[in-house]
Amino acid sequence: MIIVSESELEALSRIGRIVATAREEMVRRVRPGITTRELDLIGEKVLDDFGAYSAPKSLYRFPGVTCISINDEAAHGIPGGRVISQGDMVNIDVSAELDGYFSDTGATVLVEPASDITRKLCDCARSSLDKALESTRAGKKINQIGKAIHDQAKKNGFTVIKNLTGHGIGRKLHDEPRAILNYYERRDKKVLKEGMVLALETFISTKAEAVIPMRDGWTLKTPDGSLVAQFEHTVVVTGDKPIILTEI
């Protein structure tokens, strides 16, 4: 989507604040002993309070309101009876719709006591997103986003998950551009345009470069047990710094 009016920006800002509020409330409530289903109910209440609808549930019949992935689960973890334990890495991904506009956000939280490697991995995933945001500017090639993410991961001794990507968003959950890679692809000549709405997300791993589907039909895990951390913001491209819609 490319924003063409102030009213569109206002609508996207509203749903951006809502998913960010749900994300932060869930992050705040992560603790040993809580189940992923209990966390999901916390996110569901926030969305309900604002009149927003879970995007994965309404669009794809996902068996949960939010996606909660732990340790070697990179994405689309199904909320359920799993009990969160000390030392876990918990990724919370919230995407929702309000009045025909979508927003998507995610964050990984460490359950103390955290190991040095999980702390470093999360810091890298967060800083990789910061580098991606610095590369998001109208007129620049979209492949510079992936280069920034990959370079930051490599500098810290980590890898990127290559078969998970960011994406365009706005009037659809997944819009053009369909794939914003986490690595540099020289053949990708697409140029960022003013007003583009993007969901930028980093998938940084201790070792793996791909994920595989589990038998539940949703959860994506690394094949070797490598850990994964993810952070995500929905942004609007400008000629300067992007407008971050999911930051509170």
Side-chain angles (χ1 to χ4, degrees):
M1 176 182 178
I2 296 179
I3 291 175
V4 296
S5 68
E6 189 65 28
S7 63
E8 288 182 331
L9 178 58
E10 290 173 358
L12 285 163
S13 296
R14 278 195 296 274
I15 185 59
R17 286 192 298 270
I18 291 168
V19 296
T21 300
R23 178 198 69 215
E24 290 305 297
E25 183 62 16
M26 293 172 71
V27 165
R28 188 180 71 82
R29 301 282 290 276
V30 171
R31 58 173 174 78
I34 195 170
T35 67
T36 54
R37 176 57 182 156
E38 288 171 327
L39 270 183
D40 191 53
L41 288 170
I42 293 166
E44 181 177 28
K45 184 179 186 307
V46 174
L47 297 186
D48 286 348
D49 286 348
F50 285 100
Y53 299 92
S54 164
K57 186 173 184 178
S58 60
L59 293 177
Y60 305 122
R61 297 183 180 178
F62 180 73
V65 173
T66 67
C67 299
I68 303 174
S69 308
I70 299 177
N71 297 332
D72 59 343
E73 299 171 349
H76 306 164
I78 300 173
R82 182 169 180 173
V83 177
I84 291 172
S85 303
Q86 290 183 343
D88 279 343
M89 292 175 51
V90 182
N91 177 255
I92 292 166
D93 194 318
V94 185
S95 56
E97 176 265 330
L98 179 69
D99 299 329
Y101 292 89
F102 292 83
S103 194
D104 197 355
T105 188
T108 299
V109 58
L110 301 175
V111 184
E112 299 293 347
S115 67
D116 290 342
I117 189 65
T118 57
R119 202 176 302 281
K120 184 179 178 182
L121 182 64
C122 276
D123 287 345
C124 181
R126 189 183 293 106
S127 64
S128 294
L129 182 56
D130 291 339
K131 294 295 184 182
L133 292 168
E134 291 174 8
S135 298
T136 303
R137 184 174 298 185
K140 294 188 71 169
K141 288 183 179 178
I142 201 168
N143 62 16
Q144 294 304 301
I145 296 174
K147 183 178 187 302
I149 295 169
H150 182 266
D151 286 353
Q152 185 69 4
K154 185 177 180 181
K155 185 174 79 171
N156 285 275
F158 297 125
T159 57
V160 299
I161 300 297
K162 293 186 175 181
N163 60 338
L164 290 174
T165 72
H167 52 91
I169 194 170
R171 283 287 194 173
K172 302 176 183 178
L173 178 59
H174 296 100
D175 206 344
E176 297 296 334
R178 291 287 175 177
I180 303 172
L181 303 177
N182 283 297
Y183 60 94
Y184 176 68
E185 173 52 78
R186 63 180 180 81
R187 293 170 294 182
D188 189 351
K189 305 295 185 182
K190 294 189 292 295
V191 174
L192 294 168
K193 297 179 182 179
E194 185 100 16
M196 268 187 172
V197 189
L198 309 174
L200 301 181
E201 47 189 322
T202 62
F203 292 94
I204 310 300
S205 177
T206 49
K207 186 178 179 181
E209 292 189 328
V211 289
I212 56 176
M214 296 294 96
R215 289 183 178 179
D216 63 21
W218 292 102
T219 307
L220 298 172
K221 293 179 66 172
T222 58
D224 58 359
S226 295
L227 302 173
V228 181
Q230 181 256 22
F231 286 86
E232 178 180 14
H233 274 313
T234 296
V235 306
V236 179
V237 178
T238 74
D240 193 14
K241 294 179 181 179
I243 301 168
I244 303 175
L245 302 175
T246 49
E247 188 174 56
I248 56 173

